[in-house]
Amino acid sequence: TTEEGTAGTQLSTDIQYGSFDSRRVAFKAAGDTGGLNYLLSDSRFDTDGYREHSAARRDTLNAKLRIATGPDSALTLVGNSLDMPDSQDPQGLTEAQWRANPKQAAANALIYNTRKSNAQQQIGLNWQHALSAQHHLQVSTWGGQRTVRQYQSIPFGVQGNPSHPGGI
């Protein structure tokens, strides 16, 4: 279930700032004109992170368009995209390291530049028809793709084993 537009047209922006150079900027347009319901939202969040080597960025885009195809039926198109490039991973600390400096990154995080990138796009199409107040017929199809790349702190000597998957 995805948020619906409400009667008329609404435009909104949202800007937030927080600790560690965290910021979020978002825009949304939504509406309902009877036979057409729509929603489009776009946002970017980024932060330098509380700890060393913990910066991250996330871009999201969501869109929904519903068109009435008859008095008891509607066709809905939904799409979304997520992009999180090179989210840094400071890794865990021992208790002694944490007590010395809770903001530090683990040494291997810096040596291997540990990070993870995620990207995902998907689109869906749904047709729904009300047969009665209690019964509905619905047909949906979805497609998409996802990419994940993670750089881990596995020592090169360990990666040299032919049966080891490596550090990425």
Side-chain angles (χ1 to χ4, degrees):
T1 303
T2 304
E3 181 181 356
E4 301 263 334
T6 55
T9 297
Q10 300 82 43
L11 299 174
S12 64
T13 58
D14 182 34
I15 300 172
Q16 301 173 9
Y17 290 94
S19 304
F20 317 109
D21 285 329
S22 296
R23 54 215 159 263
R24 180 179 181 270
V25 177
F27 168 79
K28 183 173 16 176
D32 189 335
T33 61
L36 177 66
N37 185 287
Y38 60 94
L39 184 129
L40 175 68
S41 66
D42 185 28
S43 71
R44 170 172 278 187
F45 169 81
D46 57 357
T47 182
D48 288 344
Y50 170 75
R51 293 176 57 201
E52 180 182 10
H53 197 73
S54 65
R57 186 182 96 209
R58 179 183 64 232
D59 293 316
T60 58
L61 175 66
N62 294 292
K64 179 178 181 180
L65 177 65
R66 188 184 74 231
I67 301 168
T69 56
D72 298 320
S73 61
L75 185 65
T76 304
L77 177 68
V78 177
N80 61 55
S81 175
L82 167 74
D83 185 29
M84 295 175 57
D86 291 332
S87 296
Q88 296 177 334
D89 179 3
Q91 299 192 314
L93 301 173
T94 66
E95 182 180 354
Q97 290 170 322
W98 177 78
R99 288 192 185 282
N101 178 5
K103 291 186 175 187
Q104 69 178 305
N108 278 350
L110 301 176
I111 292 168
Y112 292 94
N113 190 20
T114 53
R115 62 202 184 277
K116 183 176 182 180
S117 296
N118 294 316
Q120 174 178 305
Q121 299 81 34
Q122 65 180 16
I123 190 164
L125 187 62
N126 173 279
W127 176 76
Q128 188 172 27
H129 178 73
L131 300 172
S132 69
Q134 295 84 20
H135 299 94
H136 293 83
L137 176 62
Q138 180 173 299
V139 178
S140 297
T141 184
W142 289 89
Q145 67 177 16
R146 178 179 297 155
T147 304
V148 177
R149 180 176 298 242
Q150 183 172 5
Y151 293 83
Q152 301 174 334
S153 61
I154 299 171
F156 293 117
V158 175
Q159 293 181 42
N161 181 335
S163 64
H164 195 277
I168 299 178

